[in-house]
Amino acid sequence: MSETGAGDVEAKAATAHPESNGTPALEVRSVSKYFGSVNALEDISLSVYAGQVTCVLGDNGAGKSTLIKILSGVYSPDNGEVLFDGEPVTFAGPRDARARGIATVFQDLATVPLMSVWRNFFLGNEPTRGKGPLQRLDVKGAQKIMRQEMAKMGIDVRDPDQTVGTLSGGERQAMAIARAVYFGAKVLILDEPTSALGVRQSGIVLKYVVQARDMGRAVIFITHNPHHAYPVGDRFVLLKRGRMFGSFAKSETSIAELTSMMAGGAELEELSHELQGTVDPSLKEVAKELAAEAPSNAQTPA
Amino acid sequence: MSATSPPIATPPAAAQDDERLVPISRLTRTLRRPELGSFLAALFVFVMFAITDSSSNHLWLKQTGIAAWTQQAAFFGIVAVPVGLLMIGGEFDLSAGVMTGVTAIVMALLVGKWHVDTWIAILITIAFATAIGLINGYIVVLTKLPSFIVTLATFFVLRGASTGGVLLLNSGSTQITVTTANPPGLHSAKSIFGSSFFSSGALPSGYSTAILWFIAVTIVCTWLLSRTSFGNWIFASGGDQNAARNTGVPVNRTKVLLFVGTALAAALVGIISFTQASSAVSEQGVGYEFFYIIAAVVGGCLLTGGYGSAIGAALGACIIGMAFEGVIYAGWDSSWDFAFLGVILFLAVIVNTLIYRRALKARR
């Protein structure tokens, strides 16, 4: 079943995105990943192109994080293949993926709180000077680059030896993105970058996503918030319980449609009815909101 | 496609005139250093023993006193500093103490009993220590068991095997002494490892060569920790393993190398003590593992990993050296050593916790 399923998705992807000609920067073909008896991912296919933002949407437990970890080299898929620039690849690890130009901002940001900002910025990719036993960190250079890159994100790092633990959540997010942009020559993967941010900071992050796209990078933007995905995305891939639920170009869908598909329209309506049957007034309020999100009512323009 | 530009606020203007910007004083920077607590404690202990010194001629402040405690400090510090690095990397090594004894025994057996050239014996001992370090390291990273348990097991295996082995090979005696008149290479090895320097009229026996090794180990470890990629990986492996892996740090390799480092440092102490005494006793070094951990913790290394300094661990070893010798100069019963060390450990940990919290939170 996986063979034919993959073919279907491939065919659909090809027809759905006639504008994306050329080789995808990064592509997965019918990959699956199992953890014990749990199918975290089943038969997922996805192509991302340079100069485009591909949004991967899904609710909690949809398999978004597992997909990221396959794309960034943390996991290798149990089935299917990963193609980089059209060539099948097996990443030896995140270091290997990054060396090929795939940089990832993980949801937990992959920062070490007790280490300074510049050490975090270059973690796993330290610039060095000198040769042989005298090879050492280029501390001055690293601090300078870090400050420049952080300034581009609108953050002035006052003290380069400041630990990341003393940064605010938004600043830490900005650091992780600045780091990925700096190292991500071709593909930039952002795992829920806006989930912990305020309105303004989310805005800055989204602006950065667009910037990276305009610089010709293939951006993969993982989120469960269609309101953040829709304005910046070129194509939208929906995951649900580890499976592909759909793949759309921006012209084929709307923010309301995305929202309802993500939440699972029918299920949402059902839940709404269920809650309306209760006596608790606050739950009734929730039911009303759910009904508004359900597909029958979802006509609000983006 | 990309026509829909997102409705986004402009980024904050030049951050130079951020009104919330507070300049960081030099004092605050100093207060944030992980070795501050141990430096203050070392100073306190030194002054305290200078005051309580009851020896004739007040030898504590003279070369005799300094030579005595620095030698003690060196023997602890050579291993305590790499143990500190290992702790920053998030692991423990309880087998380091017994390793100093086992490697001395390996040396004594090779040179004293089997008449191997001392330099070849040193190479064999280094290979042996590397193997033990690799075993500790690989068991920890492959089984993902706490290193506390893994190295505790290694500790007992080594302790039992060395005691039993010595009794078996040495016809029932626990001490192995070199009996040959002039074993090949021992003289030259002794001049490098187990000799002394700066001997004078005031101090005929001079300072132990171990002190130079101690300084060298501290400098190398400080360099490694603060100025190399490997140092960055040590901090990251202990600070947040997951983040380290996700950014591509070879966490397992880092940890295995750190275990090899502590085993090699222990072997250095074993070689020094054998060349100094031309003999070795089984059970030598048992119990030292706690002094190494105390030195590292007093020196600001977090028990949970991710924070600390090599210089701090070296200062911690100095405190232990001073405590052992100072009690003698003060004319106290040496049984009080341990109570004293306990109090110092306790106070240093409190100070270090405050520093650590400062590093993590405070901006001023």
Side-chain angles (χ1 to χ4, degrees):
Chain A
M1 112 118 227
S2 73
E3 277 306 305
T4 50
D8 287 350
V9 177
E10 275 300 295
K12 188 180 176 194
T15 51
H17 309 291
E19 80 282 4
S20 33
N21 37 31
T23 322
L26 188 61
E27 186 180 0
V28 289
R29 285 191 188 154
S30 67
V31 294
S32 303
K33 181 78 191 169
Y34 312 108
F35 295 107
S37 58
V38 180
N39 297 0
L41 280 184
E42 181 79 46
D43 197 17
I44 304 291
S45 295
L46 170 78
S47 320
V48 296
Y49 294 87
Q52 284 198 358
V53 177
T54 306
C55 295
V56 177
L57 290 135
D59 220 332
N60 295 334
K64 303 187 297 284
S65 291
T66 311
L67 180 61
I68 300 319
K69 288 189 171 158
I70 288 174
L71 293 173
S72 59
V74 178
Y75 296 151
S76 50
D78 292 327
N79 280 319
E81 56 179 353
V82 180
L83 291 93
F84 184 67
D85 272 343
E87 299 285 319
V89 285
T90 311
F91 297 125
R95 224 173 137 73
D96 182 22
R98 187 151 83 178
R100 291 170 194 262
I102 300 172
T104 309
V105 177
F106 291 96
Q107 202 171 356
D108 62 7
L109 301 183
T111 56
V112 184
L114 276 170
M115 291 174 75
S116 67
V117 181
W118 72 267
R119 280 183 185 272
N120 265 288
F121 195 94
F122 288 97
L123 191 54
N125 226 334
E126 294 83 1
T128 50
R129 303 190 319 153
K131 288 228 178 326
L134 282 179
Q135 194 179 59
R136 60 204 182 274
L137 289 179
D138 181 9
V139 179
K140 283 266 146 56
Q143 290 180 344
K144 198 174 145 212
I145 293 170
M146 181 275 292
R147 288 189 69 133
Q148 280 171 357
E149 295 301 308
M150 290 294 277
K152 284 187 201 163
M153 289 292 283
I155 290 168
D156 178 41
V157 182
R158 296 150 285 243
D159 171 13
D161 282 323
Q162 186 179 358
T163 58
V164 159
T166 64
L167 296 176
S168 73
E171 288 174 326
R172 217 176 296 182
Q173 184 85 52
M175 195 230 93
I177 294 176
R179 177 172 69 179
V181 167
Y182 181 71
F183 288 110
K186 287 187 174 134
V187 181
L188 177 63
I189 304 173
L190 302 162
D191 188 5
E192 305 259 6
T194 55
S195 63
L197 296 186
V199 177
R200 188 183 137 91
Q201 276 167 331
S202 296
I204 294 171
V205 168
L206 294 178
K207 177 172 164 284
Y208 227 72
V209 169
V210 173
Q211 252 177 34
R213 177 199 68 194
D214 292 345
M215 284 192 271
R217 270 149 197 166
V219 182
I220 304 173
F221 179 19
I222 291 87
T223 179
H224 57 237
N225 189 339
H227 298 276
H228 287 161
Y230 194 77
V232 298
D234 295 306
R235 36 166 71 195
F236 305 90
V237 174
L238 272 88
L239 295 186
K240 202 164 191 185
R241 291 173 183 271
R243 288 166 190 273
M244 293 277 286
F245 189 70
S247 174
F248 311 91
K250 192 174 205 156
S251 54
E252 300 170 345
T253 185
S254 70
I255 195 161
E257 201 187 349
L258 281 177
T259 312
S260 78
M261 275 192 294
M262 259 188 70
E267 288 164 43
L268 214 57
E269 259 184 310
E270 203 174 295
L271 188 59
S272 158
H273 283 304
E274 209 173 288
L275 289 177
Q276 237 146 19
T278 61
V279 271
D280 191 328
S282 58
L283 282 181
K284 280 207 166 135
E285 206 52 41
V286 175
K288 241 184 246 169
E289 276 173 36
L290 284 178
E293 294 266 319
S296 48
N297 302 343
Q299 276 124 27
T300 16
Chain B
M1 270 314 294
S2 55
T4 341
S5 67
I8 286 162
T10 46
Q16 259 86 6
D17 45 6
D18 189 336
E19 70 285 359
R20 295 163 303 174
L21 200 155
V22 182
I24 303 148
S25 70
R26 188 165 275 277
L27 177 71
T28 309
R29 268 175 216 243
T30 314
L31 285 176
R32 263 199 221 148
R33 298 208 60 89
E35 56 272 343
L36 176 77
S38 57
F39 179 73
L40 293 179
L43 209 64
F44 170 76
V45 173
F46 184 79
V47 171
M48 191 193 77
F49 282 123
I51 295 167
T52 58
D53 184 4
S54 65
S55 63
S56 53
N57 302 327
H58 292 285
L59 287 172
W60 179 253
L61 288 173
K62 304 239 159 67
Q63 290 203 52
T64 321
I66 293 168
W69 72 257
T70 47
Q71 170 167 346
Q72 277 281 0
F75 271 91
F76 289 124
I78 289 171
V79 191
V81 171
V83 163
L85 254 57
L86 180 68
M87 278 174 64
I88 297 169
E91 304 292 344
F92 282 106
D93 187 355
L94 295 182
S95 69
V98 75
M99 270 298 283
T100 63
V102 171
T103 45
I105 285 167
V106 171
M107 286 295 295
L109 280 173
L110 288 168
V111 177
K113 192 139 188 77
W114 296 320
H115 309 294
V116 178
D117 184 284
T118 311
W119 287 102
I120 293 170
I122 286 172
L123 289 181
I124 295 171
T125 306
I126 288 172
F128 168 76
T130 308
I132 298 288
L134 287 174
I135 290 170
N136 273 337
Y138 274 107
I139 292 179
V140 168
V141 299
L142 293 181
T143 62
K144 296 189 171 67
L145 287 169
S147 51
F148 192 89
I149 298 300
V150 171
T151 57
L152 187 64
T154 323
F155 164 42
F156 277 109
V157 170
L158 286 173
R159 183 181 179 174
S162 71
T163 314
V166 167
L167 288 177
L168 204 68
L169 293 168
N170 202 32
S171 46
S173 166
T174 55
Q175 180 161 10
I176 310 168
T177 312
V178 177
T179 45
T180 22
N182 202 358
L186 184 57
H187 186 74
S188 56
K190 188 185 168 85
S191 67
I192 288 178
F193 293 103
S195 177
S196 63
F197 62 101
F198 285 164
S199 57
S200 59
L203 186 71
S205 55
Y207 293 88
S208 169
T209 324
I211 298 163
L212 298 179
W213 284 103
F214 174 36
I215 294 169
V217 167
T218 307
I219 290 172
V220 167
C221 287
T222 302
W223 162 271
L224 268 182
L225 200 56
S226 59
R227 284 294 173 268
T228 66
S229 307
F230 186 66
N232 225 19
W233 301 348
I234 296 173
F235 279 117
S237 301
D240 188 335
Q241 248 188 80
N242 217 12
R245 285 217 170 83
N246 282 342
T247 50
V249 171
V251 174
N252 286 356
R253 203 204 317 165
T254 304
K255 290 193 170 179
V256 170
L257 283 173
L258 287 173
F259 277 108
V260 171
T262 58
L264 285 176
L268 177 58
V269 169
I271 292 165
I272 290 172
S273 75
F274 167 73
T275 51
Q276 222 171 42
S278 294
S279 72
V281 193
S282 59
E283 301 260 318
Q284 195 176 316
V286 169
Y288 282 19
E289 54 281 343
F290 288 112
F291 294 123
Y292 305 147
I293 293 173
I294 290 173
V297 170
V298 166
C301 299
L302 264 193
L303 275 171
T304 44
Y307 195 69
S309 94
I311 293 175
L315 286 168
C318 289
I319 291 173
I320 296 175
M322 285 194 272
F324 273 93
E325 293 298 323
V327 165
I328 299 170
Y329 283 85
W332 301 342
D333 182 348
S334 65
S335 319
W336 288 95
D337 286 355
F338 291 98
F340 180 76
L341 278 179
V343 172
I344 289 290
L345 175 65
F346 189 65
L347 291 177
V349 169
I350 290 174
V351 173
N352 289 338
T353 311
L354 293 176
I355 295 169
Y356 155 71
R357 293 212 178 116
R358 232 187 147 90
L360 194 57
K361 297 211 185 77
R363 288 188 171 205
R364 261 178 285 171

Short mmCIF file of all heavy atoms in Angstrom, two decimals, chain A residues 79-106:
data_model
loop_
_atom_site.label_atom_id
_atom_site.label_comp_id
_atom_site.label_asym_id
_atom_site.label_seq_id
_atom_site.Cartn_x
_atom_site.Cartn_y
_atom_site.Cartn_z
N ASN A 79 11.68 3.59 6.55
CA ASN A 79 11.34 3.29 5.16
C ASN A 79 11.43 4.57 4.36
O ASN A 79 11.36 5.66 4.92
CB ASN A 79 9.91 2.76 5.05
CG ASN A 79 9.82 1.30 5.40
OD1 ASN A 79 10.69 0.51 5.04
ND2 ASN A 79 8.78 0.96 6.14
N GLY A 80 11.55 4.44 3.05
CA GLY A 80 11.55 5.60 2.18
C GLY A 80 12.93 6.22 2.08
O GLY A 80 13.88 5.75 2.69
N GLU A 81 13.01 7.29 1.27
CA GLU A 81 14.33 7.89 1.09
C GLU A 81 14.29 9.41 1.18
O GLU A 81 13.25 10.04 1.02
CB GLU A 81 14.96 7.44 -0.22
CG GLU A 81 14.12 7.71 -1.44
CD GLU A 81 14.83 7.27 -2.71
OE1 GLU A 81 16.01 6.88 -2.63
OE2 GLU A 81 14.22 7.34 -3.77
N VAL A 82 15.47 9.96 1.49
CA VAL A 82 15.64 11.40 1.58
C VAL A 82 16.55 11.81 0.42
O VAL A 82 17.56 11.16 0.18
CB VAL A 82 16.31 11.78 2.92
CG1 VAL A 82 16.49 13.29 3.02
CG2 VAL A 82 15.50 11.27 4.10
N LEU A 83 16.14 12.85 -0.30
CA LEU A 83 16.96 13.32 -1.42
C LEU A 83 17.39 14.75 -1.17
O LEU A 83 16.58 15.59 -0.78
CB LEU A 83 16.19 13.25 -2.74
CG LEU A 83 15.90 11.85 -3.27
CD1 LEU A 83 14.55 11.38 -2.80
CD2 LEU A 83 15.99 11.85 -4.78
N PHE A 84 18.66 15.00 -1.36
CA PHE A 84 19.18 16.35 -1.20
C PHE A 84 19.74 16.76 -2.55
O PHE A 84 20.61 16.09 -3.10
CB PHE A 84 20.27 16.35 -0.13
CG PHE A 84 20.81 17.72 0.17
CD1 PHE A 84 20.00 18.68 0.76
CD2 PHE A 84 22.10 18.05 -0.16
CE1 PHE A 84 20.48 19.94 1.03
CE2 PHE A 84 22.59 19.32 0.10
CZ PHE A 84 21.79 20.26 0.70
N ASP A 85 19.21 17.85 -3.12
CA ASP A 85 19.59 18.28 -4.46
C ASP A 85 19.40 17.17 -5.48
O ASP A 85 20.21 17.01 -6.39
CB ASP A 85 21.06 18.76 -4.48
CG ASP A 85 21.16 20.24 -4.13
OD1 ASP A 85 20.11 20.93 -4.20
OD2 ASP A 85 22.26 20.68 -3.78
N GLY A 86 18.37 16.39 -5.27
CA GLY A 86 18.06 15.34 -6.22
C GLY A 86 18.82 14.04 -6.02
O GLY A 86 18.54 13.05 -6.69
N GLU A 87 19.78 14.04 -5.11
CA GLU A 87 20.57 12.83 -4.88
C GLU A 87 20.10 12.16 -3.59
O GLU A 87 19.94 12.85 -2.58
CB GLU A 87 22.06 13.18 -4.71
CG GLU A 87 22.69 13.84 -5.91
CD GLU A 87 22.97 12.83 -7.02
OE1 GLU A 87 23.41 11.72 -6.68
OE2 GLU A 87 22.71 13.16 -8.19
N PRO A 88 19.91 10.85 -3.60
CA PRO A 88 19.54 10.18 -2.36
C PRO A 88 20.68 10.29 -1.33
O PRO A 88 21.84 10.11 -1.69
CB PRO A 88 19.34 8.72 -2.77
CG PRO A 88 19.29 8.72 -4.25
CD PRO A 88 20.03 9.91 -4.72
N VAL A 89 20.33 10.63 -0.09
CA VAL A 89 21.36 10.78 0.94
C VAL A 89 20.95 10.05 2.21
O VAL A 89 19.76 9.82 2.46
CB VAL A 89 21.63 12.25 1.33
CG1 VAL A 89 22.41 12.97 0.27
CG2 VAL A 89 20.33 12.97 1.66
N THR A 90 21.94 9.64 2.98
CA THR A 90 21.71 9.17 4.33
C THR A 90 22.58 10.04 5.22
O THR A 90 23.80 10.02 5.10
CB THR A 90 22.13 7.70 4.48
OG1 THR A 90 21.55 6.97 3.41
CG2 THR A 90 21.69 7.13 5.82
N PHE A 91 21.94 10.83 6.06
CA PHE A 91 22.72 11.71 6.92
C PHE A 91 23.32 10.91 8.07
O PHE A 91 22.65 10.12 8.72
CB PHE A 91 21.84 12.83 7.50
CG PHE A 91 21.26 13.73 6.45
CD1 PHE A 91 19.90 13.94 6.38
CD2 PHE A 91 22.09 14.37 5.54
CE1 PHE A 91 19.36 14.78 5.42
CE2 PHE A 91 21.56 15.21 4.58
CZ PHE A 91 20.19 15.41 4.52
N ALA A 92 24.62 11.16 8.31
CA ALA A 92 25.30 10.47 9.42
C ALA A 92 24.85 11.07 10.75
O ALA A 92 25.02 10.46 11.79
CB ALA A 92 26.81 10.61 9.28
N GLY A 93 24.27 12.24 10.71
CA GLY A 93 23.82 12.91 11.93
C GLY A 93 23.56 14.36 11.62
O GLY A 93 23.73 14.79 10.48
N PRO A 94 23.12 15.12 12.63
CA PRO A 94 22.80 16.53 12.39
C PRO A 94 24.01 17.33 11.89
O PRO A 94 23.86 18.29 11.14
CB PRO A 94 22.32 17.04 13.75
CG PRO A 94 22.58 15.99 14.73
CD PRO A 94 22.82 14.71 14.01
N ARG A 95 25.20 16.90 12.33
CA ARG A 95 26.41 17.57 11.90
C ARG A 95 26.60 17.42 10.40
O ARG A 95 26.96 18.37 9.70
CB ARG A 95 27.58 16.88 12.60
CG ARG A 95 28.60 17.77 13.18
CD ARG A 95 29.55 16.86 13.97
NE ARG A 95 30.92 17.24 13.74
CZ ARG A 95 31.46 18.32 14.24
NH1 ARG A 95 30.75 19.14 14.99
NH2 ARG A 95 32.71 18.61 14.01
N ASP A 96 26.33 16.22 9.93
CA ASP A 96 26.45 15.92 8.50
C ASP A 96 25.44 16.75 7.72
O ASP A 96 25.77 17.38 6.71
CB ASP A 96 26.20 14.41 8.31
CG ASP A 96 26.36 13.99 6.87
OD1 ASP A 96 27.05 14.71 6.12
OD2 ASP A 96 25.81 12.93 6.50
N ALA A 97 24.19 16.79 8.23
CA ALA A 97 23.14 17.54 7.55
C ALA A 97 23.52 19.01 7.49
O ALA A 97 23.35 19.67 6.47
CB ALA A 97 21.81 17.36 8.27
N ARG A 98 24.06 19.51 8.58
CA ARG A 98 24.42 20.92 8.62
C ARG A 98 25.58 21.22 7.68
O ARG A 98 25.63 22.27 7.04
CB ARG A 98 24.76 21.35 10.04
CG ARG A 98 24.96 22.83 10.13
CD ARG A 98 24.61 23.37 11.48
NE ARG A 98 25.73 23.21 12.39
CZ ARG A 98 25.70 23.64 13.63
NH1 ARG A 98 24.61 24.19 14.12
NH2 ARG A 98 26.72 23.48 14.41
N ALA A 99 26.51 20.25 7.61
CA ALA A 99 27.65 20.44 6.71
C ALA A 99 27.17 20.54 5.27
O ALA A 99 27.78 21.21 4.44
CB ALA A 99 28.63 19.29 6.87
N ARG A 100 26.05 19.90 4.94
CA ARG A 100 25.51 19.97 3.58
C ARG A 100 24.65 21.22 3.37
O ARG A 100 24.15 21.45 2.28
CB ARG A 100 24.64 18.74 3.30
CG ARG A 100 25.43 17.46 3.20
CD ARG A 100 24.45 16.30 3.19
NE ARG A 100 25.11 15.03 3.42
CZ ARG A 100 25.47 14.19 2.45
NH1 ARG A 100 25.24 14.51 1.21
NH2 ARG A 100 26.06 13.06 2.74
N GLY A 101 24.43 21.98 4.45
CA GLY A 101 23.68 23.21 4.30
C GLY A 101 22.22 23.12 4.73
O GLY A 101 21.37 23.83 4.23
N ILE A 102 21.94 22.20 5.66
CA ILE A 102 20.59 22.13 6.21
C ILE A 102 20.68 22.54 7.68
O ILE A 102 21.30 21.85 8.48
CB ILE A 102 20.02 20.70 6.12
CG1 ILE A 102 19.97 20.25 4.67
CG2 ILE A 102 18.63 20.63 6.76
CD1 ILE A 102 19.61 18.80 4.49
N ALA A 103 20.11 23.68 8.01
CA ALA A 103 20.19 24.15 9.38
C ALA A 103 18.79 24.12 10.00
O ALA A 103 17.80 24.42 9.35
CB ALA A 103 20.75 25.56 9.44
N THR A 104 18.73 23.73 11.26
CA THR A 104 17.45 23.54 11.91
C THR A 104 17.36 24.35 13.19
O THR A 104 18.32 24.40 13.96
CB THR A 104 17.26 22.05 12.26
OG1 THR A 104 17.52 21.28 11.11
CG2 THR A 104 15.86 21.78 12.76
N VAL A 105 16.21 24.98 13.38
CA VAL A 105 15.92 25.58 14.68
C VAL A 105 14.94 24.65 15.37
O VAL A 105 13.78 24.54 14.98
CB VAL A 105 15.30 26.98 14.53
CG1 VAL A 105 14.96 27.54 15.91
CG2 VAL A 105 16.24 27.89 13.80
N PHE A 106 15.41 23.92 16.37
CA PHE A 106 14.54 22.97 17.05
C PHE A 106 13.60 23.69 17.99
O PHE A 106 13.86 24.80 18.43
CB PHE A 106 15.38 21.95 17.82
CG PHE A 106 16.15 21.03 16.93
CD1 PHE A 106 17.46 21.29 16.59
CD2 PHE A 106 15.53 19.91 16.39
CE1 PHE A 106 18.16 20.45 15.76
CE2 PHE A 106 16.21 19.07 15.55
CZ PHE A 106 17.54 19.33 15.23
#
